[in-house]
Amino acid sequence: MTTPKIPSTAQEVHLAARPDGDITLDHFAVVETEVRRPGSGEVLVRNEYMALAYAMSFMLSLEPDPDLPFPTFEVGEPLWFPAVGTVVASESPDLAVGDVVSHNLGWREYAVAAAEEFTKLDAGSLPDMKHFLAQQGPTAFWGVKSADIREGDTVFVSGAAGGVGSLAGQIAKCLGAKRVIGSAGSDEKVEYVVKELGFDAAFNYKEGSLGDRLAELAPDGVDVYFDTVGGDQFEAAMQNAAHGARFVLCGALSGKNPTLDLDPAVGRDVVIKGFSTPYTPDAIADWQRQFGEWLREGRIVFPHSVVEGGPEQAPKAFLGLLGGEYKGQVLVRLARD
């Protein structure tokens, strides 16, 4: 194998200031930094792609706290988030040059750390390296499974063009749902959800009465509601719940908690439940195995948007994600060639 050329410097993105309110480009700093060669037990990875997610907007505002179950972002230090790349230099017997790995040292072109901070991937288990960054796949997979999808079910997925919802609707079809309906925030996204993701129907939640729109598309009622937004869409789903419906709560991106008359839930025997995604190695492996099978069978697609241009484009891409500019999982191509 040809030894890859390693540059002396590369870009990485630091947290310039902790946001107190709206996040802007001023909260990020793109820094040119030395590419350090690995020491004993370490490897150097050339990052290819990084995932972005809404959760970062909350995490950016968190002050350091040892009681949190994850590391916080430090002002003046590189940001982190899931990424995939290729080992280009190794001083560890556990990883070799050419191995494809996943890790949490995104927001930079090159990452150097102890070998145990990287997970070697079976590059052939998924059709493309980007598929390993279907970060919201386990959430969609385990959430839909927890809804106990049954043959003949009508499923409603809110936020159907987003990273979780776009996969949740497809997974519901794979698990036997008869009809899958989605909501999205523009006519363009509605068309995308139906024509590219294979939903049976979708509607623009910004137009008309949500309850009436959903009633038109689900005349026999909603058997399963996969909720990613809360608010008015939760209320519309409750109005149209079939007897014995199962509501699975994934998120509340609308920022509004519904003030509901829950009589329909009682009278129609509706089950409302949250779920916890098991991000264990075995659970992730189960998802990737099933995801790979469905991809090869042509039963599912990976909805994603790729922003090119290296780490310097990542802050703008993140703000675009928060503004709803993209469809599906948002990825940044960290490699610049």
Side-chain angles (χ1 to χ4, degrees):
M1 178 182 294
T2 303
T3 302
K5 184 178 180 180
I6 301 171
S8 58
T9 63
Q11 285 185 343
E12 59 186 32
V13 181
H14 293 193
L15 179 62
R18 200 172 302 284
D20 181 16
D22 292 341
I23 300 169
T24 70
L25 291 178
D26 292 336
H27 293 110
F28 303 91
V30 180
V31 178
E32 193 79 15
T33 186
E34 179 184 359
V35 177
R36 181 172 68 82
R37 270 43 178 182
S40 177
E42 293 184 324
V43 297
L44 176 67
V45 171
R46 180 183 186 266
N47 286 335
E48 296 291 339
Y49 296 95
M50 172 184 71
L52 294 177
Y54 285 97
M56 265 199 77
S57 60
F58 164 71
M59 296 165 60
L60 285 170
S61 65
L62 293 176
E63 295 288 346
D65 185 345
D67 293 330
L68 289 172
F70 51 82
T72 53
F73 300 121
E74 302 282 351
V75 174
E77 295 295 325
L79 295 164
W80 60 266
F81 224 59
V84 291
T86 305
V87 176
V88 293
S90 176
E91 294 297 332
S92 168
D94 299 322
L95 291 171
V97 171
D99 283 346
V100 176
V101 296
S102 64
H103 57 90
N104 282 321
L105 299 175
W107 292 87
R108 66 202 83 185
E109 286 182 88
Y110 286 83
V112 60
E116 55 262 30
E117 292 197 34
F118 302 90
T119 299
K120 183 177 178 179
L121 302 173
D122 178 1
S125 63
L126 291 174
D128 189 284
M129 186 186 292
K130 294 191 292 291
H131 291 138
F132 287 104
L133 285 175
Q135 292 294 310
Q136 288 140 322
T139 298
F141 182 57
W142 292 103
V144 173
K145 287 188 70 174
S146 74
D148 186 25
I149 298 290
R150 302 161 192 169
E151 188 173 343
D153 275 346
T154 293
V155 178
F156 170 41
V157 179
S158 59
V164 176
S166 58
L167 283 168
Q170 296 184 81
I171 292 168
K173 293 284 280 190
C174 289
L175 294 179
K178 179 181 179 181
R179 183 169 174 79
V180 176
I181 301 164
S183 65
S186 70
D187 292 342
E188 178 191 6
K189 289 182 178 179
V190 166
E191 183 177 14
Y192 164 76
V193 165
V194 174
K195 292 188 175 179
E196 297 190 38
L197 303 185
F199 282 54
D200 296 287
F203 64 92
N204 185 338
Y205 65 81
K206 297 179 181 179
E207 297 179 354
S209 164
L210 298 184
D212 291 346
R213 298 296 303 280
L214 188 55
E216 292 171 5
L217 298 176
D220 296 324
V222 171
D223 299 298
V224 171
Y225 175 42
F226 189 95
D227 182 24
T228 70
V229 301
D232 294 341
Q233 296 189 61
F234 185 102
E235 294 186 16
M238 183 60 71
Q239 292 168 14
N240 289 277
H243 185 81
R246 289 88 69 202
F247 280 34
V248 177
L249 310 183
C250 178
L253 295 179
S254 72
K256 295 187 295 182
N257 294 317
T259 302
L260 286 174
D261 172 8
L262 290 177
D263 284 347
V266 176
R268 300 174 196 171
D269 198 22
V270 176
V271 174
I272 303 173
K273 61 180 293 187
F275 67 92
S276 178
T277 305
Y279 281 99
T280 63
D282 287 345
I284 293 173
D286 285 346
W287 153 246
Q288 291 179 345
R289 175 189 54 77
Q290 185 64 80
F291 187 38
E293 288 181 12
W294 285 336
L295 285 167
R296 292 185 176 87
E297 292 168 357
R299 301 179 65 194
I300 198 170
V301 297
F302 175 32
H304 66 283
S305 303
V306 178
V307 178
E308 302 280 352
E312 64 184 328
Q313 298 301 319
K316 184 178 179 181
F318 181 62
L319 296 186
L321 165 67
L322 298 183
E325 293 181 16
Y326 304 109
K327 307 181 189 79
Q329 173 72 62
V330 181
L331 305 179
V332 177
R333 180 96 195 280
L334 295 174
R336 291 188 291 176
D337 56 17

